[in-house]
Every structure is written in C-alpha cells, then in structure tokens.
C-alpha cells in the first residue's frame, strides 16, 4: 500500500479540469481496494473547504463569461441575418447547458470531500511547526521565494515528513503536488524535489511526484489505464432546442388524448356544443358545454396534429404508456423551469 499526500491544488484542479476528472475514480477505487491510503493534513482539509465554494462558482461563471463574449461578438460581427439567427440559436443551446456543466464541478467536489472525510486527518505537531518556522526564517524551500508567504506549504511538507518518519519498515509513501515553484528544483528537472527538501525523499520509501497520473501508474498501471479509458466517454446534456422539440411533441400528444376524450363525451351528449352568446348568458359551464367556434377550432387542430405527428404517435395508449407520456412531459417542463406535475395543455 502507498500512503499518499495529495496537495490541495491537485484536489481543486480535479474539480476544475474535466480532463482530470477520470483520475478521481482511480483514486476512489484504489482507496476502496486498499492499495492507496490518503494522508490528509488538517491544513489540506481546511484549504479545500475554504476554496470549495469558490471553485464551484468559478466553473459556471467562467463558462458564462466566455459565452457572453462570444454572443456579443456574433451580434457585432455577423451581418447576415439568417446566419446570425442560426448562431445565436446555437449559443442559446450552450447557455442552457452552462448550469448543468457547472453542476458537475459540485458533484466532483462532493466526491473529493467524502474521500477527505474518510481519511485520517493528520494534525500538525509543535515540532513540525518549529521546523516549518525555521524554513521560513532561513528562506529554505518551500519558503525560498521572494514576496510569497509559503508557511502553509512548509507546514504541509513537515507534516508529511513526520508521517514518513513514523512509518513502519516496508511502508511506502508519496507526496504529489502541482506546486513546482515551491517544491521542485528551480532550474532543472522539476520532477525532482528542491535540494532543501530532497533529504526527505528517496526512490523507494518516500517518493516525489508533480503529476497525479504518474503516481497512480506507479501504484497500479492497469487500473489507471482501464478506469481512465472507461471515463473518456461523457454524456452530453441535451440542447435547449432538443428539449423544446420534445416538449412540443409531448404536449400535443397529451392535448390530443384529452381532445379525443372530450369528443367522445360530445358524441355521448355529456358535453353540449352551444353558441357563444348562449354560453355567456348561461352559467359558463366549461365542464358540460363548449362554444361551437372553439369546438370547430379544436377539430381542425386535431386533424393538424394527426397529420404532423403521424398515426403512430397519437395513440391509443395503455395506462402504462399514458403514464410514461405524462411523466416525460412533467420532467421536460421541470427542467425548463416549471414545477413538477405541470401538465396543463
């Protein structure tokens, strides 16, 4: 088993960059199979929690900002009205997807939080704090850069070194970070730790990585290849135009079914067709009467629906099929902004 400290920057990038998301599944599986155990310093846990909301909002805000810039460019730079209309329609589809795509980041952050909560949180001992302070005072990595307060990084690396020192014979450890400027060799192979940190690393017991994929491949190359390949396929959200087209068909099917039920009741004499003046002078009973003009319009609309949808798409349906159609209409309307069970036609 590898005992691994994954720096905060990597956890946050897993949520921000969709290309790295498959690696989270690999980590989850390795933790479950006990080939990887997470070392989570309290600082890493707290940094992740502080930045979680920012990352979730930024993922949506960034997409929305780019979308708005493109939309403004189309409005200003496209002179052909038909082409402009088509481009803006495509952008409306994209705009509809932005909240869905942004919501993916929140789901990833939730999975990361679950991993961190399940791991043993490592506190920072007084001795580790003194060593971190000594690094800061003597400008030793990761506190060697001008105009940058890296005491938090120093505390994290000292917490890691303490865990390694307390490890049993045969245990293996790894530290992985994307923060090459603070932890890696400055002018040379950045896959190597800074000389100030090098004594805490080795080729076998305590390894240094600047790439999460390389670390995971070192632990189990087969699992990385298999799971990342599976995650290459991602389901695209439906476009707004697709959803509106589906909504058009579904509400017309529901309306047609209700129309046919009313037609049967007219034929049975349960609903009477009356002139408008009679209906207005009476009780205006919409349950048992229908205005003749409205009924003629409904008959024309029914013929139009039969022609445009086709015989295979207008019923009759079983109770199960009828329930499915109503359920689909309710679901589509919910996504488009209506409340659940909104089935008015």
């Amino acid at each position: 088993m590898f005992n691994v400290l994954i720096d905060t920057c990597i956890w946050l990038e897993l949520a921000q960059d969709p290309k790295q998301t498959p690696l989270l599944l690999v980590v989850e599986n390795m933790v479950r199979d006990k080939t990887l155990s997470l070392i989570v310093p309290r600082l890493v846990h707290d940094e992740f929690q502080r930045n979680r909301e920012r990352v979730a909002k930024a993922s949506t805000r960034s997409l929305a900002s780019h979308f708005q810039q493109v939309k403004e460019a189309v409005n200003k730079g496209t002179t052909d009205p038909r082409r402009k209309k088509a481009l803006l329609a495509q952008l409306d589809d994209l705009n509809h997807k932005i909240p869905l795509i942004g919501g993916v980041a929140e789901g990833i952050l939730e999975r990361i939080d679950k991993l961190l909560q399940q791991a043993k949180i490592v506190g920072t001992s007084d001795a580790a704090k003194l060593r971190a302070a000594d690094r800061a005072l003597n400008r030793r990595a990761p506190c060697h850069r001008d105009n940058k307060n890296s005491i938090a990084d120093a505390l994290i690396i000292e917490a890691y070194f303490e865990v390694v020192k307390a490890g049993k014979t045969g245990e293996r450890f790894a530290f992985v970070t994307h923060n090459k400027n603070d932890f890696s060799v400055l002018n040379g192979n950045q896959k190597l730790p800074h000389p100030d940190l090098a004594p805490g690393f080795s080729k076998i017991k305590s390894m240094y990585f600047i790439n999460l994929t390389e670390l995971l491949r070192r632990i189990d190359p087969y699992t990385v290849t298999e799971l990342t390949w599976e995650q290459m396929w991602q389901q695209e959200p439906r476009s707004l135009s697709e959803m509106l087209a589906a909504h058009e068909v579904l509400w017309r099917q529901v309306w047609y079914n209700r129309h046919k039920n009313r037609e049967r009741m007219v034929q049975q004499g349960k609903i009477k067709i009356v002139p408008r003046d009679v209906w207005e002078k009476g009780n205006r009973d919409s349950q048992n009467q229908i205005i003749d003009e409205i009924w003629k319009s409904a008959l024309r609309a029914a013929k139009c629906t039969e022609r445009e949808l086709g015989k295979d798409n207008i019923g009759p349906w079983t109770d199960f099929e009828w329930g499915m159609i109503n359920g689909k209409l309710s679901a589509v309307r919910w996504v488009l902004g209506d409340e659940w069970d909104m089935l008015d036609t």
Side-chain angles (χ1 to χ4, degrees), residues 194-338:
H194 191 281
D196 292 344
L197 303 171
F201 294 99
S202 64
K203 292 183 178 180
I204 302 297
K205 182 177 182 179
S206 175
M207 305 176 70
Y208 178 80
F209 293 90
I210 59 171
N211 185 292
L212 181 59
T213 304
E214 287 187 16
L215 164 66
L216 298 176
R217 287 190 185 280
R218 183 62 179 263
I219 298 173
D220 187 349
Y222 175 77
T223 298
V224 174
T225 301
E226 182 180 38
L227 292 179
T228 53
W229 182 85
E230 287 179 2
Q231 291 289 299
M232 289 300 290
W233 178 82
Q234 293 184 354
Q235 185 168 314
E236 276 286 312
R238 296 287 184 192
S239 68
L240 180 60
S241 57
E242 283 180 288
M243 297 182 70
L244 290 174
H247 177 270
E248 174 73 10
V249 171
L250 289 165
W251 88 257
R252 293 184 75 180
Q253 288 175 326
V254 172
W255 176 88
Y256 183 82
N257 183 275
R258 291 174 178 174
H259 167 78
K260 297 304 286 185
N261 286 332
R262 177 162 287 196
E263 185 179 51
R264 185 174 67 253
M265 294 177 75
V266 168
Q267 293 170 351
Q268 293 172 348
K270 295 179 180 179
I271 295 179
K272 294 182 180 180
I273 301 172
V274 299
R276 179 177 293 276
D277 60 343
V278 173
W279 187 82
E280 290 179 347
K281 290 177 181 178
N283 296 325
R284 299 190 178 190
D285 184 3
S286 59
Q287 297 297 318
N288 299 307
Q289 293 180 337
I290 187 168
I291 299 171
D292 52 3
E293 295 173 357
I294 294 177
W295 183 242
K296 289 177 183 178
S297 178
L299 291 173
R300 288 195 297 270
K303 290 293 183 183
C304 182
T305 300
E306 292 168 0
R307 183 173 62 254
E308 293 181 0
L309 295 187
K311 292 183 178 180
D312 293 336
N313 292 310
I314 57 174
W317 297 297
T318 64
D319 288 345
F320 175 80
E321 291 169 331
W322 176 240
M324 286 292 293
I325 290 170
N326 279 272
K328 289 175 184 178
L329 179 59
S330 175
V332 171
R333 284 184 169 176
W334 183 81
V335 174
L336 290 173
D338 269 322

Side-chain angles (χ1 to χ4, degrees), residues 86-183:
L87 288 171
L88 290 175
Q90 292 175 353
L91 288 172
D92 283 339
D93 280 345
L94 176 60
N95 187 42
H96 171 72
K97 291 182 180 182
I98 285 174
L100 301 177
I101 297 170
V104 172
E106 183 57 46
I108 299 300
L109 290 164
E110 185 65 33
R111 289 166 61 189
I112 293 171
D113 185 53
K114 185 177 180 181
L115 279 173
L116 297 183
Q117 297 294 347
Q118 290 175 343
K120 182 179 179 181
I121 305 298
V122 178
T124 307
S125 69
D126 290 340
K129 292 176 183 177
L130 288 173
R131 289 192 297 271
D134 184 69
R135 288 185 180 277
L137 290 170
N138 291 286
R139 305 297 299 278
R140 291 189 295 118
C143 302
H144 58 292
R145 298 171 62 197
D146 293 334
N147 303 318
K148 186 176 187 296
N149 182 359
S150 297
I151 189 66
D153 292 323
L155 289 167
I156 289 171
I157 197 67
E158 287 297 343
Y160 169 76
F161 288 154
E162 220 168 47
V163 172
V164 173
K165 187 176 180 180
K168 299 177 182 178
T169 302
E171 280 193 297
R172 306 188 71 183
F173 300 85
F175 178 85
V176 55
T177 181
H178 289 169
N179 188 0
K180 295 175 286 187
N181 292 327
D182 285 345
F183 291 105

Side-chain angles (χ1 to χ4, degrees), residues 9-78:
C9 55
I10 293 181
W11 289 123
L12 296 175
E13 286 175 26
L14 286 174
Q16 290 173 303
D17 184 1
K19 294 179 182 178
Q20 296 190 49
T21 301
L23 297 177
L24 179 59
L25 179 63
V26 178
V27 173
E28 289 170 328
N29 276 265
M30 287 184 173
V31 169
R32 183 199 63 200
D33 296 340
K34 298 183 178 180
T35 56
L36 184 154
S37 176
L38 291 174
I39 301 170
V40 183
R42 172 61 62 183
L43 273 172
V44 170
H45 175 272
D46 292 348
E47 284 180 350
F48 174 80
Q49 296 299 335
R50 282 197 302 271
N51 288 277
R52 176 174 174 169
E53 185 176 356
R54 174 186 61 80
V55 170
K57 290 181 177 179
S59 62
T60 301
R61 186 167 58 246
S62 176
L63 287 169
S65 176
H66 287 305
F67 163 79
Q68 188 59 35
Q69 290 175 7
V70 173
K71 195 168 184 178
E72 289 174 2
V74 169
N75 273 316
K76 292 178 181 178
T78 307

